[in-house]
Amino acid sequence: QQMKQQMKQQMKQQMKQQMVARGNFLTESTSHEKESSIKELKQRMLGESTEEKESSMMELKRQMLGKAKEDESTEEKESSMMELKRHMLGKAKEDKDIFDISKSTLDELPKRMDAYLAGDTKDLKDQMLSNGENITLSSQEQQSSSLNDVKEAMRLRAELQDNPLKVESGQLPNQVDGEDDPRISTGNDDSGPSPSGPVVIPIAEPAQTYMPFAIGEPVVEPEPSNKRKFFICGIVTFVIFVVGVTVSVIGVINSIRNRPEDTGTQGNPDKDNPTKNPTDTRKEILQKRIRAISPDALVSTSNSYRAMNWIIEEDEMKIKSDDPLLDQRFVMALIYHSTQGDSWTTCSYSQMDRACVFFDYMTMQNANATRFMTPVHECEWYGVICTDDKHVMKIDFVENNLKGTVPSEISNLPHLRWIRLNSNDLKGTIPSEIALMESLTDLELPGNSLTGTIPDAIYEMPTLVYLGLQVNLLEGSISSKIEQLASVEGIFLFDNVLSGSIPDEVGNLQSLLFLDLGRNQLTGELPSSIGQLPKLKHLYLHNNGLSGPLPAEIGNLDSLEMLLTRSNRFSSSLPDELFDLPGLWYLGIENNMFSGSFPHKVDRLIYLYYLYIHGNNFEGSIPSSIGNLTYLNQFWAYQNDFTGTMPASVCKLRNQTLEGLRADCREENNLTKLECSCCTVCCTPGMDGLCYHV
């Protein structure tokens, strides 16, 4: 409010100063002269060219600049004002022809001026005649010059407000609304008669850009006072101070947030000098890169954070922030922390000794390696094999007491082809991100305690050749997406808790060699599409709840070597096509509900080595054609309904290759179900019968 009042006072002073500087006054004229002057003004305005307007504008601006230099102090202006007042009073006494202009007439003068500038001469004339006033001009030159000044002043004000006023043909622009302050001053403050000469008409500007000026005089902006300057400087200084304090606080917070926990690691020079600029820059870049692949690195209790802290603070290799293999080293460190590396049986980190010896299950002999987390390239660590350009392509940590979980960040090893984590104590679920590794061919996680379902993404890996998830606690069904494993040769899912049926799509795996689904909770029938696997060698379906007959299409598996269906609920008789498999050397169909007589075509399986048919409902006599199986080593036929005598051709094999021959040949209640003088083990009839070595 104080600033507003000061501004108003300054505006009043400037208006008075302009009145003193100009000294032009409008005097009264006769009605006849006034009307002729208006007509002449209109003609001049219409005839004035654009170049003359621009020239007048430039001249007015130069006058303004000159006027600004002449106004040196407020005291001089006030002194001139007082002197002008005295001159005006003396002049008023001498000029007896001038009518007394009352205060009421002065209050109405702005409206009359608007009408005058707008060209409304008729209304102006009537109004002035009704008031008994006659406005005359001292001379034609004074009237013409004053009106020209009004026009040019109006244009200048419009230009300063970025709102140019256009003078249209036949009219002048209306005046612009201003403050509530007086817009017309006579210079006598109502203390005496009106002085002779022109009347000063200052035109007020809007409050926000107040620039008063007299007709035809240059405009002088009021200079800001010293108090205003000090006020503005104070505000700027305060804002700079607040910004500086805010930036400092943010910097302190970030430094505290990014400070790693003290893990007790010794020999770290960067820890002793945390303010070292190059280290801070390197640290920030490393943090951003690592957090981009592992958001958990933000959590101070996570394994990702520990691995990141080791990379930045503890690793003596001091990997550079722009190292392209940063992700690889971080992931290897993360695997170590996620699987409780300090508890590994072999080659865990040690400050005392970098070298270690481990048993290589591939070569079945001891091998030398470098311990994990030592200051050498990660390709030299135990169980890690890399390509020639130092990209990890194999991880082999078999039977090394790995605990914890498999980190999903392992997918950031794009060149990884082989993962072998067999026979450890890993828990948790299988990360679906593994499917992102386009180079992966072997995924072996058997012998752990993994839970959950097999991610669908695993079934969508066209490059996968070997899938080994056996001996875990996996549940759920086998997805029909299994057909997308276009390159798979081995699927080992036995010893889990899988349920549901075997999907028909399994028959589309044209490269499949080994299918082991044993010891699960699978149900339903074996799909006939199983016969569409021309390369299949091993088919293990044992210890499930499968039922129904064996499909005849199974005879199309020309490459089949081993068929194991024991401990299911298969029933009906055996299809003859089963014995058209020339390469079959293991036939284990025991503990099912097969019935009927055992086919005599069995001798077509010329390479048969193991024949297990016990625990079924076969009846009749044992076919003598079995004696033609010259490679037969084990023949177990007990707990069936066979009768008669063991064929001599079979007993003859006892002197050649047959080492184990079992049948229901034990006497019970003076009765013998099957006579067998060459059996190695005789059992009592029935599923609960006891077996004794002979």
Side-chain angles (χ1 to χ4, degrees):
Q1 292 295 332
Q2 292 178 355
M3 291 179 64
K4 186 174 181 181
Q5 293 176 0
Q6 291 177 1
M7 290 293 291
K8 288 183 177 180
Q9 292 176 1
Q10 290 177 2
M11 288 188 284
K12 292 178 181 179
Q13 291 178 0
Q14 289 295 331
M15 182 167 56
K16 293 178 181 180
Q17 294 165 9
Q18 295 298 329
M19 291 166 56
V20 173
R22 177 64 179 126
N24 294 330
F25 299 90
L26 293 176
T27 60
E28 294 184 351
S29 178
T30 63
S31 299
H32 177 74
E33 291 175 345
K34 175 247 177 187
E35 291 176 357
S36 63
S37 297
I38 291 174
K39 291 180 181 179
E40 182 178 354
L41 174 62
K42 289 183 178 180
Q43 292 174 358
R44 288 190 180 186
M45 290 174 60
L46 294 174
E48 186 177 15
S49 65
T50 305
E51 294 179 355
E52 291 174 346
K53 296 176 183 178
E54 293 179 353
S55 176
S56 299
M57 181 65 73
M58 295 301 297
E59 180 64 21
L60 182 59
K61 289 183 178 180
R62 286 194 293 270
Q63 291 178 4
M64 290 171 61
L65 294 175
K67 182 63 179 175
K69 295 179 180 179
E70 294 175 1
D71 294 338
E72 295 179 353
S73 66
T74 305
E75 294 180 358
E76 293 178 357
K77 295 177 183 178
E78 291 178 352
S79 175
S80 299
M81 180 67 180
M82 295 301 296
E83 185 177 355
L84 178 60
K85 285 184 178 181
R86 289 192 296 270
H87 172 73
M88 290 168 63
L89 291 174
K91 184 68 176 176
K93 293 177 181 180
E94 296 174 0
D95 193 356
K96 298 180 179 180
D97 297 330
I98 303 301
F99 291 98
D100 186 13
I101 301 176
S102 63
K103 184 176 180 180
S104 60
T105 305
L106 292 175
D107 291 338
E108 293 295 328
L109 186 57
K111 297 181 181 179
R112 295 200 300 272
M113 191 63 191
D114 289 341
Y116 180 79
L117 293 175
D120 192 0
T121 57
K122 183 177 180 180
D123 294 341
L124 179 62
K125 180 179 179 180
D126 295 340
Q127 181 181 0
M128 296 176 68
L129 290 175
S130 64
N131 292 335
E133 300 177 11
N134 294 317
I135 300 177
T136 62
L137 294 173
S138 61
S139 67
Q140 287 290 347
E141 292 181 357
Q142 285 182 345
Q143 190 262 1
S144 176
S145 175
S146 298
L147 292 177
N148 252 347
D149 290 343
V150 171
K151 178 193 65 176
E152 293 299 332
M154 293 293 290
R155 285 179 182 167
L156 178 59
R157 183 181 63 183
E159 177 180 300
L160 293 175
Q161 291 179 333
D162 291 328
N163 184 21
L165 300 174
K166 298 181 180 179
V167 180
E168 298 180 356
S169 177
Q171 65 176 15
L172 287 173
N174 294 330
Q175 68 184 55
V176 182
D177 295 337
E179 296 279 342
D180 295 335
D181 299 327
R183 301 174 60 186
I184 301 175
S185 175
T186 61
N188 57 6
D189 297 333
D190 297 333
S191 60
S194 173
S196 62
V199 179
V200 177
I201 306 176
I203 301 175
E205 289 292 325
Q208 63 271 26
T209 56
Y210 181 77
M211 302 181 67
F213 55 87
I215 298 175
E217 281 297 319
V219 180
V220 180
E221 272 192 31
E223 296 184 359
S225 64
N226 289 336
K227 290 184 179 180
R228 185 181 179 187
K229 291 181 180 179
F230 289 145
F231 178 73
I232 295 175
C233 291
I235 292 178
V236 173
T237 304
F238 177 74
V239 171
I240 294 174
F241 173 75
V242 172
V243 172
V245 172
T246 304
V247 171
S248 301
V249 171
I250 293 175
V252 172
I253 293 174
N254 287 336
S255 64
I256 294 174
R257 181 182 300 172
N258 295 332
R259 185 180 302 158
E261 292 183 345
D262 185 7
T263 56
T265 305
Q266 299 178 355
N268 181 15
D270 284 347
K271 268 190 174 181
D272 299 331
N273 188 17
T275 61
K276 187 179 178 181
N277 290 334
T279 302
D280 290 343
T281 302
R282 168 184 174 270
K283 176 179 179 180
E284 292 174 357
I285 297 175
L286 290 176
Q287 286 177 339
K288 290 180 180 178
R289 289 187 60 184
I290 292 174
R291 288 170 179 172
I293 64 174
S294 180
D296 286 345
L298 293 168
V299 183
S300 61
T301 57
S302 65
N303 292 316
S304 296
Y305 180 88
R306 296 186 182 96
M308 179 181 69
N309 184 52
W310 178 82
I311 289 285
I312 297 175
E313 304 290 348
E314 303 173 18
D315 186 8
E316 297 178 18
M317 289 287 289
K318 295 301 175 186
I319 189 170
K320 296 181 179 179
S321 59
D322 59 349
D323 195 314
L325 296 180
L326 168 65
D327 295 358
Q328 175 174 284
R329 192 166 182 85
F330 166 73
V331 171
M332 298 310 299
L334 177 58
I335 291 175
Y336 184 83
H337 285 285
S338 298
T339 58
Q340 301 181 23
D342 291 340
S343 300
W344 287 2
T345 303
T346 303
C347 297
S348 60
Y349 173 73
S350 174
Q351 294 182 345
M352 304 301 296
D353 186 13
R354 294 185 179 181
C356 65
V357 178
F358 70 99
F359 183 78
D360 189 349
Y361 285 90
M362 298 298 294
T363 62
M364 299 304 293
Q365 60 185 7
N366 290 333
N368 296 321
T370 303
R371 294 181 180 275
F372 241 73
M373 311 296 278
T374 51
V376 296
H377 197 281
E378 57 272 14
C379 290
E380 300 180 33
W381 291 347
Y382 148 77
V384 179
I385 298 177
C386 294
T387 60
D388 294 338
D389 53 353
K390 300 297 184 180
H391 289 101
V392 175
M393 72 172 185
K394 180 180 178 181
I395 297 175
D396 190 351
F397 303 145
V398 176
E399 282 191 51
N400 201 26
N401 196 37
L402 273 67
K403 299 181 179 181
T405 60
V406 179
S408 61
E409 289 82 357
I410 196 173
S411 62
N412 288 279
L413 300 176
H415 300 273
L416 191 60
R417 302 176 188 173
W418 199 348
I419 300 176
R420 295 189 69 205
L421 305 178
N422 311 36
S423 303
N424 286 288
D425 192 21
L426 297 173
K427 294 180 172 60
T429 59
I430 300 173
S432 60
E433 288 81 0
I434 287 179
L436 300 176
M437 293 185 284
E438 297 180 354
S439 300
L440 191 66
T441 59
D442 291 75
L443 177 59
E444 300 183 38
L445 304 174
N448 286 284
S449 300
L450 299 174
T451 57
T453 61
I454 301 174
D456 283 351
I458 298 296
Y459 295 109
E460 301 172 355
M461 300 178 66
T463 61
L464 199 62
V465 175
Y466 187 98
L467 178 61
L469 304 178
Q470 66 271 27
V471 194
N472 279 287
L473 301 173
L474 300 174
E475 55 188 10
S477 60
I478 300 174
S479 174
S480 60
K481 294 182 180 180
I482 195 172
E483 65 178 345
Q484 299 185 38
L485 297 174
S487 303
V488 71
E489 296 180 0
I491 298 177
F492 298 89
L493 304 178
F494 64 90
D495 274 355
N496 279 288
V497 199
L498 300 176
S499 58
S501 59
I502 300 174
D504 291 339
E505 289 77 6
V506 73
N508 296 328
L509 303 176
Q510 297 299 300
S511 300
L512 191 62
L513 300 176
F514 308 98
L515 179 60
D516 192 343
L517 305 178
R519 288 196 282 272
N520 278 287
Q521 298 178 6
L522 301 175
T523 57
E525 297 184 359
L526 182 64
S528 60
S529 62
I530 200 73
Q532 302 173 9
L533 304 174
K535 296 182 180 181
L536 189 64
K537 292 183 177 181
H538 296 180
L539 178 58
Y540 296 161
L541 305 173
H542 57 287
N543 296 87
N544 278 288
L546 300 173
S547 58
L550 289 179
E553 289 79 5
I554 201 170
N556 297 329
L557 302 176
D558 294 336
S559 301
L560 193 63
E561 297 176 355
M562 298 182 67
L563 175 60
L564 184 58
T565 66
R566 72 164 182 259
S567 301
N568 278 284
R569 298 177 182 176
F570 289 115
S571 59
S572 188
S573 59
L574 297 175
D576 289 343
E577 291 81 1
L578 176 61
F579 302 99
D580 292 334
L581 303 174
L584 193 66
W585 59 268
Y586 188 104
L587 179 58
I589 58 174
E590 68 272 24
N591 297 326
N592 279 282
M593 294 185 289
F594 292 115
S595 60
S597 59
F598 193 79
H600 288 273
K601 290 183 178 182
V602 65
D603 61 349
R604 300 172 63 176
L605 303 176
I606 57 176
Y607 296 107
L608 197 61
Y609 193 82
Y610 296 102
L611 179 57
Y612 298 117
I613 62 173
H614 57 282
N616 282 286
N617 297 321
F618 293 117
E619 57 187 7
S621 60
I622 294 177
S624 60
S625 58
I626 292 178
N628 298 328
L629 301 174
T630 56
Y631 292 99
L632 191 62
N633 181 266
Q634 298 288 330
F635 175 38
W636 294 7
Y638 65 95
Q639 294 180 348
N640 277 288
D641 293 328
F642 290 119
T643 58
T645 303
M646 182 66 67
S649 59
V650 176
C651 289
K652 186 178 180 180
L653 293 176
R654 285 284 289 118
N655 299 325
Q656 300 175 12
T657 59
L658 189 59
E659 296 180 358
L661 179 57
R662 298 187 180 190
D664 295 327
C665 54
R666 183 174 178 79
E667 182 178 349
E668 183 179 11
N669 298 326
N670 297 323
L671 295 175
T672 302
K673 200 170 187 179
L674 180 67
E675 296 289 342
C676 183
S677 58
C678 60
C679 287
T680 57
V681 175
C682 284
C683 302
T684 57
M687 296 299 296
D688 297 330
L690 300 176
C691 297
Y692 301 91
H693 287 275
V694 176

